[in-house]
Amino acid sequence: AGAAVAFSTWAYAEVDVLDLRAQGQAPFHDGRWSAHFRFTNRVESWVLVTSWPALLTFAIWLFLAARNARALQANGFTCSPAWVLGVFFIPVANLFLTCLNLQEIWRASNPRRIEERDTWKNAPTSRLVHLWGLNCLVAPLLVFIAFRLDSLGRDFVVIASWLFLIANVNAAIACVLSIAIIWAIRHRQWQRYIRLYEDPA
């Protein structure tokens, strides 16, 4: 939640840049730019302070959720819980493999597919996880393009600012979706546990 607010604030900082540019104010020659740079530095620090703990705790939760899915009588996974955790920290590959692992955990947590240990494989995937994966993929891609455009000169600064703005909004959305996915999978695993051990009927 803190990371979502931080990325949203960073997006607002890019809106401020666009507003200053629209007014024709040049950097380093106006008091508002100085205030903006101070504000942006604080926001960047806030993003670092919130995003790294968020990533670490999400990785730990991913390991525990993968382990729980196997404990709830589901077999035939692509990766072990340790690999699910390890893949999360592999650059580039984590954008795709983490999404696939999340989909497996989501499907294996289905409380209605409990007839056999591999019945979960016929369970539907989650649009929520698809949307989360799309936002996680788009955000760094836009940041990369924005940095390249920003280095080309002041003619591309406005476009770069728009891309930074959209990227930060995507990152904030991904954080919110992470919270929703964690809550949903926790609820699904709890319901599956009840169906398996407390109320089989």
Side-chain angles (χ1 to χ4, degrees):
V5 174
F7 280 113
S8 300
T9 308
W10 203 352
Y12 170 77
E14 295 302 328
V15 173
D16 199 32
V17 170
L18 293 169
D19 181 52
L20 291 169
R21 289 287 181 186
Q23 296 178 23
Q25 299 181 20
F28 309 112
H29 297 288
D30 186 90
R32 280 192 62 193
W33 274 103
S34 299
H36 167 77
F37 286 131
R38 289 195 299 270
F39 174 67
T40 302
N41 287 335
R42 294 192 189 99
V43 172
E44 289 177 356
S45 300
W46 188 16
V47 167
L48 288 175
V49 167
T50 56
S51 60
W52 283 108
L55 283 172
L56 182 60
T57 52
F58 185 73
I60 294 171
W61 170 83
L62 197 63
F63 170 81
L64 295 174
R67 188 185 65 178
N68 289 345
R70 287 153 179 78
L72 292 170
Q73 298 186 17
N75 291 341
F77 291 92
T78 303
C79 298
S80 67
W83 272 107
V84 170
L85 178 61
V87 163
F88 187 82
F89 294 101
I90 300 175
V92 181
N94 56 5
L95 296 175
F96 303 98
L97 296 179
T98 300
C99 186
L100 294 176
N101 288 329
L102 262 180
Q103 286 290 10
E104 280 198 333
I105 295 169
W106 179 278
R107 292 161 60 205
S109 303
N110 192 306
R112 299 187 179 278
R113 305 297 173 94
I114 59 175
E115 295 82 3
E116 302 291 339
R117 287 183 175 268
D118 60 351
T119 308
W120 65 270
K121 293 183 178 182
N122 299 322
T125 57
S126 168
R127 293 180 181 177
L128 198 63
V129 175
H130 283 306
L131 187 59
W132 174 85
L134 180 63
N135 279 277
C136 289
L137 178 63
V138 168
L141 182 62
L142 290 179
V143 169
F144 174 76
I145 296 172
F147 272 119
R148 295 299 297 269
L149 289 175
D150 201 34
S151 64
L152 294 178
R154 60 178 61 181
D155 293 337
F156 296 93
V157 169
V158 173
I159 300 174
S161 294
W162 272 109
L163 293 179
F164 279 126
L165 167 61
I166 298 170
N168 285 314
V169 170
N170 279 334
I173 292 173
C175 292
V176 173
L177 290 174
S178 298
I179 297 172
I181 290 169
I182 289 171
W183 182 89
I185 289 180
R186 175 184 175 277
H187 179 73
R188 287 164 66 87
Q189 289 187 341
W190 176 246
Q191 291 297 318
R192 185 177 174 90
Y193 172 82
I194 292 175
R195 289 289 303 276
L196 284 168
Y197 300 110
E198 296 186 7
D199 187 19

